[in-house]
Amino acid sequence: MRIPFTLLALARTWSSWYSALALDLKGRIQWDELCQGLGDLGQASVVLDHGRLHGGVTRDGIFTIPDVPAGTYVLSVLARDFGFEKLRIDVFESESLPEVRPYIPGTPLSPAAPVTLPYPIVLHARQRNDYFVPPESFNVLGMLQNPMMLMMLGVGAMVLLMPYLMKNMDPEALQDFKERQARMSSIQSSLQSGDIKSGFSALISAGDEPKALTSGMAKQATTSGVKNRSGKNKRR
């Protein structure tokens, strides 16, 4: 029976020693025009290190985080409709008061900021969270700035202007255009049907025709030049 009493005494000694080293962190939320009271604030809590230690908020705005051991913490307020500043809290092992400093999220905790704030902590609501996103209205200029819309307008303009362009084309150029269009449609149909070999052969032949045409034109030009020279020699 002595062992349980010894353990109980040790537990009491440890709890008393821990409570002597721990600190009840106190402060209040200052009501103002932005956040006029607990009714506006709603359900909220003041936390250290993202909920490691926490405390509730009373109707008067007072909060207490009990049994805070020595260390460095980041104090923040979890509220749905309001945003509060974050503070750095340094709790010491001695009986001295904790040090309160401003803290910017994302910055390292060390070195500490030289500016200190008074204790007990006083917090103010900085902003009201707005979760409503107004729907976007119809904007003609924004629609025209879309590259896909510009491409569609360009294609539509080409479709509308194509008959007028074809009427003013030279008959030979028009015949060549129709042949090329028929050749491209046959290539597309062959590729879609799965006849890849004939499609590639048609592509190669389409690429060779301009070369043959240019070579034929060059031969005609050379033969016409030779005939002209021979005619001049005969006249002489």
Side-chain angles (χ1 to χ4, degrees), residues 20 24 28 57 60 70 94 114 118 125 127 138 146 150 164-166 206:
D24 291 343
R28 64 187 175 89
V57 181
D60 298 330
S94 60
Q127 64 180 4
F138 180 74
N146 191 352
L150 293 176
Y164 300 99
L165 294 175
M166 293 180 68

Side-chain angles (χ1 to χ4, degrees), residues 34-35 43 69 72-73 84-85 90 113 136 138-139 141 166 181 195 202 214 223:
L34 184 61
C35 183
Q43 187 176 2
T72 301
Y73 306 92
F84 292 81
E85 69 269 33
D90 293 315
E136 296 183 359
F138 180 74
N139 188 3
L141 294 178
M166 293 180 68
Q181 191 175 9
D195 192 0
T214 53
T223 53

Side-chain angles (χ1 to χ4, degrees), residues 78-132:
L78 298 181
R80 184 188 63 182
D81 297 327
F82 294 93
F84 292 81
E85 69 269 33
K86 293 186 177 182
L87 301 175
R88 169 186 168 140
I89 309 297
D90 293 315
V91 179
F92 304 102
E93 294 181 356
S94 60
E95 296 181 357
S96 60
L97 295 176
E99 292 183 353
V100 183
R101 291 183 172 86
Y103 175 73
I104 300 175
T107 59
L109 290 175
S110 60
V115 181
T116 57
L117 301 175
Y119 182 82
I121 303 166
V122 180
L123 298 173
H124 299 269
R126 298 298 182 185
Q127 64 180 4
R128 179 184 288 272
N129 300 326
D130 188 7
Y131 299 101
F132 175 73

Side-chain angles (χ1 to χ4, degrees), residues 1-229:
M1 295 293 292
R2 292 181 180 179
I3 295 176
F5 284 112
T6 304
L7 293 176
L8 182 60
L10 289 174
R12 288 180 178 178
T13 304
W14 171 257
S15 62
S16 62
W17 179 75
Y18 181 80
S19 61
L21 293 178
L23 173 73
D24 291 343
L25 193 66
K26 299 179 180 181
R28 64 187 175 89
I29 296 177
Q30 184 67 43
W31 306 129
D32 51 15
E33 294 181 357
L34 184 61
C35 183
Q36 298 181 0
L38 189 63
D40 294 338
L41 181 63
Q43 187 176 2
S45 60
V46 182
V47 300
L48 294 177
D49 290 348
H50 305 287
R52 179 181 174 186
L53 299 170
H54 60 87
V57 181
T58 63
R59 187 174 296 275
D60 298 330
I62 298 172
F63 62 87
T64 302
I65 302 177
D67 299 333
V68 179
T72 301
Y73 306 92
V74 176
L75 182 140
S76 58
V77 180
L78 298 181
R80 184 188 63 182
D81 297 327
F82 294 93
F84 292 81
E85 69 269 33
K86 293 186 177 182
L87 301 175
R88 169 186 168 140
I89 309 297
D90 293 315
V91 179
F92 304 102
E93 294 181 356
S94 60
E95 296 181 357
S96 60
L97 295 176
E99 292 183 353
V100 183
R101 291 183 172 86
Y103 175 73
I104 300 175
T107 59
L109 290 175
S110 60
V115 181
T116 57
L117 301 175
Y119 182 82
I121 303 166
V122 180
L123 298 173
H124 299 269
R126 298 298 182 185
Q127 64 180 4
R128 179 184 288 272
N129 300 326
D130 188 7
Y131 299 101
F132 175 73
V133 178
E136 296 183 359
S137 60
F138 180 74
N139 188 3
V140 179
L141 294 178
M143 183 180 66
L144 293 177
Q145 291 176 357
N146 191 352
M148 296 300 295
M149 183 60 65
L150 293 176
M151 291 176 62
M152 291 175 63
L153 290 176
V155 172
M158 289 295 295
V159 170
L160 292 176
L161 295 176
M162 185 60 68
Y164 300 99
L165 294 175
M166 293 180 68
K167 286 181 180 179
N168 297 324
M169 287 178 65
D170 186 64
E172 295 180 358
L174 181 60
Q175 184 66 27
D176 184 48
F177 175 76
K178 289 182 178 180
E179 291 178 357
R180 289 177 180 273
Q181 191 175 9
R183 190 181 302 112
M184 291 301 297
S185 62
S186 64
I187 292 171
Q188 290 179 359
S189 61
S190 62
L191 291 176
Q192 290 177 358
S193 63
D195 192 0
I196 301 175
K197 183 177 180 181
S198 60
F200 276 112
S201 62
L203 284 173
I204 295 171
S205 62
D208 292 339
E209 284 184 359
K211 295 181 181 179
L213 182 61
T214 53
S215 62
M217 292 175 65
K219 289 180 180 179
Q220 289 179 1
T222 52
T223 53
S224 62
V226 171
K227 289 180 179 179
N228 290 331
R229 290 179 184 176

